[in-house]
Amino acid sequence: MSDRRFLYAEIDALPGSEDEVALLLTGYGLRVREEPGNRQFEAFNPDGDPAKFFVYEEYESEDAFEDHKSADYCARFNESLAPLVVGGASRLTLLDPLT
């Protein structure tokens, strides 16, 4: 069984915050993709809705995912995102591959 970690996040921007959320995600994605253990970080607008965001992430190991979560820019991203989105945070779902 692989130690790789897969997850997705769903984010709903508050009205008028769509562009700012998109800019935050774009900058954050650039940083995350530079992490040695990151395999993929992709952000999307599902169904072309500018207020909805879907982010898919892969990490090579549990340790790489833990390093990601403890990065200072991860905390700053979440703090910046909180006042711009419904519920004050993204909704994370961890994925277990079928084998």
Side-chain angles (χ1 to χ4, degrees), residues 1-98:
M1 182 173 186
S2 173
D3 187 37
R4 289 174 43 198
R5 293 293 168 250
F6 306 86
L7 66 121
Y8 68 87
E10 295 174 280
I11 302 165
D12 296 315
L14 291 170
S17 298
E18 300 88 351
D19 290 343
E20 193 169 354
V21 171
L23 285 172
L24 280 172
L25 274 171
T26 300
Y28 182 62
L30 293 173
R31 295 288 307 266
V32 173
R33 287 185 200 101
E34 292 175 350
E35 294 175 13
N38 178 265
R39 290 185 172 217
Q40 190 170 1
F41 180 101
E42 300 295 334
F44 305 90
N45 287 117
D47 298 323
D49 186 338
K52 294 193 179 296
F53 298 88
F54 179 93
V55 179
Y56 176 78
E57 301 177 55
E58 289 184 31
Y59 297 88
E60 68 183 27
S61 66
E62 180 64 31
D63 288 343
F65 182 51
E66 291 301 321
D67 288 346
H68 162 72
K69 291 191 309 185
S70 65
D72 62 340
Y73 57 86
C74 187
R76 286 194 309 272
F77 168 78
N78 286 319
E79 289 170 9
S80 297
L81 188 67
L84 304 173
V85 300
V86 174
S90 60
R91 296 175 309 281
L92 297 179
T93 301
L94 299 175
L95 302 169
D96 291 324
L98 298 177

